[in-house]
Amino acid sequence: MRKITADLILPVTGDPLENAVLTIDDEGKILRIEEKTGKNASGIEAYSGVIVPGFVNTHCHLELSHMLGKVHTGTGLLEFIRNVVSYRDVPMEEIQAAIQKADQEMWENGIVAVGDISNKLDTAAQKTESPIRYYTFVEMFDFRQNQMTESTFQQYYEVFEGQSDVNGNRKSCVPHAPYSVSEALFKKINAVNTEVVTVSIHNQETPHEDNLFLNGKSGFVDLFGGFGMDMSGLQPTGKTAIHYAIENMDPKQRTLFVHNTLSSAEDIQAAHAWSQQVYWATCANANLYIENRLPNYQTFIDNQAKMTIGTDSLTSNWQLSVLEEMKTIVRYQSGIPFSTLLEWATINGAMALGFADELGSLEVGKKPGLNLLNLDARLDFNAQTQVTKLV
């Protein structure tokens, strides 16, 4: 058992605590949160800085960790996809070593839970051994080619069955993106997820995505054509891409829209009208890495969107750190308060993944992890802010 205090403790779901002690058992569960007095002062670990809960990374591709530095920045999503698809024949030993290293990097960076995209079984063993809690999203796509739907589904369902859900880990089948999933495949995915789960989907990351649905004049037509896919039979809907997604997804599930770089107020409102279980993951560094653009975060704030933070993969990022994502957000859109960013990085992510019973806030009975930030009482969050994992 440990007793821990700092200059300031931020529970996230409660008021800041200036003179408090957290009592933690050997498994990291918070037993007590109480005022520091002469009676409980013995044996306290006292730190300079601010204690916050462990971070939640709601979007990652752990299986792509071996591609660090392999894809150029600023190419746009279409060229990025071409580069990723063409990068093959990597020895499994190299892939596994990169997965293990990336998992350790996230742990050391104060991340306690990850929503991870999987197209293969490469990460399954590491997730079973990791101290991080994983929600594995087994991602499916058929390029909206109905003749591929059944074989695609069976291929990825084998991956789903092979993913472990021990040690508190969870899993679900999910669609890749509106532009890559047919209505038939959406139906199959919905049928698999019979219990309440979290469903992740990439959304509105590039203008080509909306244009595919608005008018059919999109680079995706040529991209998929280069893969041997015929897109000529797909008719534009006259609506943005997110409408196709919500018309084919299950509103009873927790739904995590990822990237949302071009999502408008109208798009956000349409999703909220469709379901009360909508969350939005932003991956700021990946958006800059690929498309050189960021979402307008104020639009999400103005529409009471439940924002979360993801890192995406080392294919499209320089590191896997929620703290670095927070720094990038505030560097480019500095009007967002630190308290808001902290909610995105902790409790909102925990709720999106269905882990809020144990993670995301400092409350008695939870095992959220404790991160120490080198901030003073002014909470001047900036590029020099660092994280140290305490629990």
Side-chain angles (χ1 to χ4, degrees):
M1 187 166 66
R2 300 166 64 187
K3 291 188 288 186
I4 299 174
T5 189
D7 299 328
L8 190 66
I9 296 174
L10 300 180
V12 178
T13 54
D15 294 332
L17 306 173
E18 293 186 359
N19 189 41
V21 177
L22 297 166
T23 301
I24 311 292
D25 72 9
D26 292 340
E27 295 184 349
K29 180 186 290 186
I30 299 176
L31 302 178
R32 292 184 297 278
I33 304 175
E34 56 192 347
E35 184 180 2
K36 182 170 62 177
T37 66
K39 293 182 179 180
N40 62 16
S42 175
I44 290 178
E45 301 173 37
Y47 295 94
S48 176
V50 176
I51 290 176
V52 301
F55 297 134
V56 179
N57 175 4
T58 56
H59 184 73
C60 187
H61 296 252
L62 186 63
E63 67 189 17
L64 298 180
S65 298
H66 60 284
M67 294 187 64
L68 174 64
K70 304 296 185 183
V71 178
H72 294 306
T73 62
T75 63
L77 183 62
L78 302 187
E79 186 61 26
F80 178 84
I81 293 173
R82 288 191 186 96
N83 288 331
V84 171
V85 170
S86 66
Y87 194 76
R88 302 178 182 180
D89 301 323
V90 181
M92 184 53 64
E93 295 81 5
E94 181 179 332
I95 292 173
Q96 289 297 322
I99 288 169
Q100 184 176 9
K101 182 179 179 181
D103 174 78
Q104 182 65 26
E105 177 186 342
M106 287 193 283
W107 180 245
E108 293 173 355
N109 284 329
I111 293 171
V112 297
V114 176
D116 187 59
I117 301 293
S118 290
N119 302 114
K120 302 178 181 179
L121 285 168
D122 294 353
T123 60
Q126 183 63 34
K127 289 172 182 174
T128 300
E129 300 296 327
S130 176
I132 293 174
R133 193 169 181 180
Y134 278 94
Y135 202 121
T136 297
F137 300 120
V138 178
E139 185 181 70
M140 302 184 178
F141 49 90
D142 60 359
F143 300 100
R144 299 178 70 192
Q145 307 290 305
N146 288 335
Q147 70 273 18
M148 295 177 57
T149 300
E150 185 60 35
S151 61
T152 292
F153 176 78
Q154 292 301 327
Q155 172 189 343
Y156 291 116
Y157 191 73
E158 290 180 9
V159 177
F160 172 75
E161 289 187 311
Q163 295 290 341
S164 172
D165 53 5
V166 301
N167 300 329
N169 292 339
R170 297 181 186 173
K171 60 183 180 180
S172 61
C173 295
V174 305
H176 168 251
Y179 57 80
S180 60
V181 178
S182 68
E183 293 181 13
L185 185 53
F186 270 117
K187 289 178 181 178
K188 284 186 169 292
I189 292 170
N190 292 343
V192 170
N193 296 326
T194 54
E195 299 178 358
V196 176
V197 298
T198 301
V199 175
S200 166
I201 183 169
H202 294 78
N203 177 65
Q204 294 178 300
E205 193 175 355
T206 174
H208 293 284
E209 185 173 344
D210 276 339
N211 288 339
L212 181 67
F213 292 91
L214 288 169
N215 53 41
K217 299 177 181 178
S218 167
F220 276 116
V221 175
D222 292 334
L223 175 67
F224 290 154
F227 297 154
M229 311 298 173
D230 182 10
M231 305 288 285
S232 61
L234 298 179
Q235 297 300 314
T237 64
K239 301 178 182 178
T240 54
I242 196 171
H243 288 270
Y244 175 73
I246 63 179
E247 288 166 4
N248 287 283
M249 297 176 74
D250 184 352
K252 297 189 296 297
Q253 307 293 4
R254 293 183 299 269
T255 303
L256 181 64
F257 292 104
V258 179
H259 293 305
N260 317 300
T261 322
L262 297 166
S263 299
S264 66
E266 292 75 18
D267 293 326
I268 298 167
Q269 292 161 12
H272 289 173
W274 166 72
S275 171
Q276 296 182 346
Q277 297 276 19
V278 168
Y279 297 86
W280 307 84
T282 184
C283 306
N285 283 318
N287 294 157
L288 293 173
Y289 193 111
I290 299 172
E291 286 268 334
N292 283 326
R293 70 176 83 225
L294 290 174
N296 183 339
Y297 294 116
Q298 191 60 48
T299 301
F300 289 88
I301 293 172
D302 291 345
N303 285 279
Q304 294 78 50
K306 289 175 281 191
M307 297 292 291
T308 72
I309 293 177
T311 62
D312 216 328
S313 75
L314 288 174
T315 319
S316 58
N317 206 333
W318 299 268
Q319 69 281 305
L320 301 179
S321 167
V322 169
L323 182 70
E324 292 302 318
E325 299 297 319
M326 296 167 70
K327 291 180 184 179
T328 296
I329 292 170
V330 79
R331 183 182 305 127
Y332 287 93
Q333 299 186 33
S334 58
I336 303 175
F338 172 70
S339 59
T340 298
L341 284 176
L342 186 60
E343 289 179 1
W344 296 5
T346 56
I347 189 61
N348 285 8
M351 290 191 297
L353 299 182
F355 292 159
D357 57 334
E358 290 193 347
L359 307 179
S361 61
L362 304 181
E363 300 178 55
V364 172
K366 287 192 173 187
K367 296 191 290 185
L370 300 184
N371 287 342
L372 179 71
L373 304 181
N374 59 331
L375 298 172
D376 58 25
R378 296 174 298 174
L379 300 179
D380 182 21
F381 182 75
N382 55 53
Q384 282 68 52
T385 305
Q386 299 296 321
V387 60
T388 302
K389 175 182 285 293
L390 297 180
V391 177

